[in-house]
Amino acid sequence: MDRAQKEQLVDELGQIFESSGVVVVAHYTGLTVAEMQDLRARARNAGGAVRVAKNRLAKIALEGKPCASITDLLTGMTVLTYSEDPVAAAKVAQDFAKENQKFVILGGAMGENALDVAGVESVSKMPSREELISTVAGMLGAPASNIAGAIGAPASNIASILSTIEDKAA
C-alpha cells in the first residue's frame, strides 16, 4: 500500500468516525471468512457496516474526531462495526458476540461518549430509531382516536337507550 492509498484510507476512516452514531471495536482473532461475511451481512441489513483497518491508520484518522476515545482500544486484530443509527451497530455486534466466542467486544464510542463493554451492551438494548419513530407515531395517533371515541360514545349510548325503550314497549 503506497502513501496515496494510505492517505485515502485515512480520509475514508475519518469520514466514518465523523458520521457514525456509534462505533464498536472488537477483536476478531480466529473468525473464519464465512463468519466475517455473516457479520458484514448482518451489519448491512441493520443499516451499518464493518471495517477492518490497520490500527495505526485508524489512530491517525481518529485525531480530532468526536470518537477519539477509542484510540486505546485499537490494539491487536481489531474490527470496527459502525452505523449512523446510534443503536444498530451495537445490536449487531452484541448479537454476533453472543453466537461467536472468537468475536470479543472491547468497547466503543457513541459520539464523544466512550463506551466500555457494559456500555455497548446497554446501547444494544435500547430501541432502534425505527422503533422509537413508530412508538412516537402511535402516541401521536392515540389522542385523536380517543377524541373520536369520546365524540361517538354519546351517540351510541343514546342509540342503546332507544333500543332498550323500544324493546320494553314491544
Side-chain angles (χ1 to χ4, degrees), residues 36-152:
M36 279 299 288
Q37 287 176 337
D38 181 36
L39 174 62
R40 290 177 194 276
R42 289 182 189 196
R44 194 177 325 107
N45 290 339
V50 175
R51 186 72 183 253
V52 176
K54 289 188 175 236
N55 291 335
R56 188 169 17 109
L57 297 177
K59 287 178 182 180
I60 293 169
L62 277 168
E63 291 176 7
K65 302 295 186 277
C67 56
S69 58
I70 64 172
T71 302
D72 296 337
L73 302 174
L74 297 173
T75 58
M77 292 180 62
T78 55
V79 61
L80 305 170
T81 308
Y82 58 93
S83 65
E84 287 184 26
D85 181 350
V87 180
K91 280 188 180 190
V92 168
Q94 191 68 33
D95 291 344
F96 193 77
K98 286 179 185 174
E99 297 173 14
N100 296 289
Q101 300 301 320
K102 297 172 190 170
F103 187 79
V104 180
I105 296 175
L106 303 175
M110 189 173 184
E112 295 181 4
N113 301 323
L115 302 172
D116 58 355
V117 177
V120 172
E121 184 178 351
S122 296
V123 170
S124 73
K125 292 179 181 174
M126 294 171 58
S128 69
R129 181 182 296 166
E130 289 78 23
E131 292 170 342
L132 288 175
I133 289 171
S134 65
T135 301
V136 169
M139 288 179 177
L140 291 175
S145 66
N146 289 345
I147 289 172
I151 290 172

